[in-house]
Amino acid sequence: MAVDISSITFGVEIQCIVERILSKDEKNYVSDKTIEDRVYMLDLGFHNLVKKLLDGAGIPTYMTIDEINSHDATRYHKWFVDYDKTIEIRHDTILPRYKYPVALISPLYNIGNFFSAFIAIWDVLHVLTTNNSKLWVNTSTALHVHIGNGDQGFEFEPALAIAQLVTGFESQIGKAIHPRYLARAQSGAYCLPPSKLSSFCDASGPRERVALLRAKAHDIPSLVGLMNPPRQEEHEEQRQDGPSTETLPSNNSARSSAYNFLGLDPSVRIENVDPKPTVEFRQHHGTTEPSEILNWVRLLLQIVFFAHTADQETLDAVLGKADGSLVDFMRAIGCSEAHVEYYSTKTWPDSNEERPELDAIAEEEEQEVLGEDLDVV
């Protein structure tokens, strides 16, 4: 399985909430508007503001899908500032503060330029937090990471190895993620790990799920079908034989799974989804903390690197240790000791003393049935 992996690329999608204190002119402009009009006008203004701040700092951006498509040759070379309606926020009715949900989607970076990419990511976050703004995340935000081979997909063997590693070590990898986010994501069925997918319902444990992958995945389409099975959509139809239940292809197949392999199959075309020939790792909690982003991306790249370079005997030996810890897994796939130490000492600040804002925000948003805040920069 040893190959030249110098062409491996990655990109990140940072979902967050920009909170900004409005200027006097901005406040006067919207003060007499209804809440609905105010939200619409401020969202439009904030979208332009975020783009303007990044462009002004020398960070080139796109703002719309149409703009990306019209520059297809360079579509992976700029940041994309996107409005993300999946992020749950409670708009304050009291000005001058305002919150705006944004997804910051990076260009493609090469694995050989990892630290240059990290500096670029840090620059984006720094620009937004030094311009009279705060960045928030809550349990409705996430950090998504795409890893691929430029504009090509992975070959079947390394793709299968990636799937075996993330399936066999599901619980260990989950230890790198905020437990409150992980619980909400899995219970809400928008970030299901392999153990909760319908395709693995007959497999009782990680070894059995890996065995099922090996037995049933023979090519990219069959692997994609296992890692991203279609969700059941019920349709009530006026028929003589009563209602029917059909299995339909849907972008929920990608959005409901912790790992999105759909982009590897060129025959898959889903409405309203721009396919990328990558594996998308969707399960990390939202964060604007550079060290968290750095270490999570490093872990995923190491998984992909190991999947491409390990021979079958080595892969089998690692998969045979599925009862170990996250630290054991990281060492087995070749992570550095400094990287291992980061996760071995990682703690989640949940107490009110460490994060006093969590309690107040959670109380407010609990009544709105929204996400709990995890972090603020």
Side-chain angles (χ1 to χ4, degrees), residues 142-158:
L143 170 66
H144 296 169
V145 181
H146 287 264
I147 303 181
N149 181 24
D151 58 358
Q152 304 294 318
F154 291 135
E155 297 294 329
F156 170 66
E157 284 194 9

Side-chain angles (χ1 to χ4, degrees), residues 30 32 114 128 156 173 281 288 297 347:
V30 298
D32 61 342
F114 175 74
L128 295 181
F156 170 66
I173 295 171
F281 299 80
T288 55
V297 174
T347 59

